[in-house]
Amino acid sequence: MMKLTEDRMYQASLDKDSSFEGSYWMAVKTTGIFCRPTCTARKPKKENVEFFFDPEKAIEKGYRPCKICKPLDKLNETPAYIHELLEELQKDASLKIKDSDLVERNIEPVTVRRWFLKNHGMTFQAFQRQFRMNKAFKKIKNGERIIEVALESGYESLSGFNERFKDIIGTTPKNTGHQKIIDLKRIETPLGPMFACACEEGICLLEFTDRKNIDQQLTRLSKTMNAEIVQGGNKHFKQLEEELNEYFERKRTKFEVPLYITGTDFQKKVWKLLTEIPTGETRSYKQQSEFLGNPKAVRAVGTANGINKIAIIIPCHRVIGSDGELVGYAGGIWRKQKLLELEGAILF
C-alpha cells in the first residue's frame, strides 16, 4: 500500500488533490484549525502543520474544523434544502418549482442552479422536467390515458406534453410500449455521493459520482440495455439505501437488493467470483484468475474488475496487487482503503 508521508500529504494539500479526500486531514498549528486536502484557504508553511488520519484525533488535540472546507461534513453532501425540494417533487408529479418560489423560501435560485449543474449536469428546471416525464412514462406504461397523465403532469396542451415527452424519453407517449427507461438517483454515503441506476428487475449501476469515466459508464449502460437514463424513483432504491446505511454502520455484510447485471459471460464470471470473497478478506488479481481456472487471465480479470458497474455490492475493492498494493480502483484508492478498513480486511 502506498505510504502517505508528510511530504506527500503536504504536496497534495498544495495541489488541492481531490484523490486524497478522506485519506488524511491537515491541521495548522498557528491558527488552530484543521482542513480537508482540497481546502481553498491559503496554505501555511510546512513546519506549521501536522497531519491526522482521523478528524476526531484532530479535535481531541484541540483543533477546530475549518469553516471554509468543513472537514466534518460528508464529502459533497446534499444540502438540507435540496433534500426538501427533491422530496416535494417525489410527492407531487405536477409540481413546478419556479425561481420566484425559491426566493420566497429565502433560497438563492443561482445557488440551486449551480448545485444541480455540478451534481446532475443540468439545471433545476431541466431536472424537474425529467422527473415529471419519468413518472408520466410509468403511468402510461401501466395503462393510464395519455390526456389524463398530461393534465396530472401540469400540461394544459397535449401537443406540448407530447413534444416534451419525446425530448426526454426518446419516443412519443403512444409508443411507450417499445421503450425502456432506467431510473437514476443520487444517493449519499459516508464516502461521498453515488449514482444509482435501476430498472424493473433490480439495481444495474452503483458508482461514486466522481468515478473516473462515469459518463462513459452511463452511456455504455444505456446502449447495452437500449434504454434512456432518466432522473426518477424506483422501487429498489429504498432497499438499496437502507442496506448501504447498514453496511457503513457495520451491521450488514451481505446485500440482498436485487441486481440486474449486464456484461459478457466472462465478465459475469469475474463479478460473481468477486461476490464470493468473504467480507474482511482480500485476493490478488492472480488469485482471482486462478480461481477462474485460467492463471494467465490476470490482465483480463483486472479489466473486468475495472468496468464493474455495481461498486461495493460487487466488491471489486477486495482485489489488490500481489504485493499488497491497493491498485486499480476507479472510485479512488483512498475509498478502496476506507472500504477495506470498514470491513476489517487484513492488508499484507
Side-chain angles (χ1 to χ4, degrees):
M1 183 172 62
M2 178 182 64
K3 184 175 177 58
L4 281 177
T5 64
E6 290 194 358
D7 286 341
R8 189 174 186 83
M9 290 186 284
Y10 183 70
Q11 187 59 50
S13 291
L14 292 180
D15 297 337
K16 303 180 183 65
D17 191 337
S18 62
S19 66
F20 285 82
E21 275 286 357
S23 297
Y24 71 88
W25 287 261
M26 185 174 77
V28 185
K29 300 174 183 177
T30 52
T31 61
I33 65 169
F34 69 98
C35 307
R36 298 178 182 274
T38 54
C39 186
T40 57
R42 184 178 178 181
K43 303 301 180 186
K45 294 180 179 180
K46 190 184 174 198
E47 58 264 28
N48 292 328
V49 304
E50 62 178 317
F51 299 94
F52 297 91
F53 297 106
D54 186 328
E56 281 73 25
K57 295 297 182 183
I59 293 175
E60 288 176 7
K61 200 162 181 180
Y63 288 103
R64 306 182 309 278
C66 173
K67 293 183 178 180
I68 296 176
C69 65
K70 300 179 180 179
L72 295 181
D73 288 357
K74 290 181 181 178
L75 185 62
N76 296 322
E77 186 174 18
T78 303
Y81 64 87
I82 295 290
H83 273 302
E84 292 174 3
L85 294 174
L86 294 175
E87 287 176 5
E88 288 183 44
L89 293 176
Q90 183 66 45
K91 292 177 182 178
D92 186 354
S94 65
L95 191 64
K96 294 181 180 179
I97 303 175
K98 302 176 183 178
D99 284 355
S100 56
D101 299 321
L102 296 175
V103 172
E104 288 180 5
R105 305 180 189 198
N106 294 318
I107 300 174
E108 178 56 55
V110 174
T111 302
V112 175
R113 177 185 178 87
R114 287 174 179 167
W115 189 90
F116 275 89
L117 283 171
K118 176 184 177 182
N119 294 284
H120 290 283
M122 65 184 73
T123 65
F124 181 43
Q125 302 306 323
F127 180 93
Q128 291 185 75
R129 289 192 290 269
Q130 277 208 7
F131 212 84
R132 283 195 295 272
M133 288 306 150
N134 183 303
K135 285 198 168 185
F137 173 90
K138 292 174 181 176
K139 288 181 178 180
I140 295 171
K141 195 92 168 177
N142 288 333
E144 293 190 32
R145 295 177 59 199
I146 296 174
I147 183 64
E148 292 176 352
V149 174
L151 293 173
E152 289 174 3
S153 300
Y155 285 84
E156 298 178 359
S157 164
L158 186 58
S159 60
F161 173 76
N162 288 341
E163 182 179 351
R164 183 65 68 185
F165 190 97
K166 186 175 182 180
D167 286 343
I168 294 174
I169 304 299
T171 188
T172 63
K174 290 184 178 179
N175 292 326
T176 53
H178 306 289
Q179 180 67 6
K180 295 180 181 179
I181 63 170
I182 299 169
D183 298 307
L184 172 68
K185 183 178 182 180
R186 183 180 185 273
I187 62 177
E188 307 284 337
T189 81
L191 296 185
M194 303 183 81
F195 283 135
C197 286
C199 54
E200 181 67 23
E201 294 83 357
I203 301 298
C204 50
L205 180 142
L206 181 65
E207 293 283 13
F208 289 100
T209 59
D210 59 358
R211 179 202 194 278
K212 294 178 182 177
N213 303 320
I214 182 65
D215 290 340
Q216 293 180 22
Q217 281 280 61
L218 292 169
T219 299
R220 191 180 299 119
L221 178 66
S222 176
K223 185 176 180 181
T224 300
M225 295 183 61
N226 190 27
E228 293 292 326
I229 299 178
V230 183
Q231 306 279 349
N234 186 284
K235 63 183 180 181
H236 300 297
F237 287 153
K238 184 175 185 294
Q239 182 180 353
L240 172 65
E241 291 183 88
E242 288 177 350
E243 292 188 6
L244 279 174
N245 286 337
E246 292 169 356
Y247 167 78
F248 280 107
E249 292 171 357
R250 292 186 171 91
K251 297 177 181 178
R252 174 178 291 274
T253 58
K254 184 176 181 180
F255 290 89
E256 299 173 352
V257 62
L259 304 180
Y260 184 76
I261 301 170
T262 58
T264 66
D265 289 342
F266 176 79
Q267 289 166 349
K268 289 179 180 179
K269 287 181 182 178
V270 172
W271 298 334
K272 183 177 185 300
L273 194 59
L274 289 172
T275 64
E276 296 172 3
I277 304 175
T279 302
E281 296 184 18
T282 60
R283 289 181 188 163
S284 68
Y285 294 98
K286 183 179 180 180
Q287 287 174 323
Q288 286 292 86
S289 63
E290 290 172 347
F291 272 108
L292 281 174
N294 188 353
K296 296 182 179 180
V298 177
R299 181 168 294 183
V301 166
T303 300
N305 272 22
I307 58 176
N308 167 36
K309 293 185 288 294
I310 306 178
I312 299 179
I313 298 177
I314 297 180
C316 53
H317 61 274
R318 293 177 189 163
V319 182
I320 62 178
S322 297
D323 58 359
E325 284 285 319
L326 302 189
V327 295
Y329 195 63
I333 295 299
W334 72 272
R335 285 197 177 102
K336 187 167 189 168
Q337 178 178 334
K338 291 295 184 182
L339 290 170
L340 292 175
E341 288 176 357
L342 177 75
E343 295 175 355
I346 299 175
L347 305 181
F348 51 87

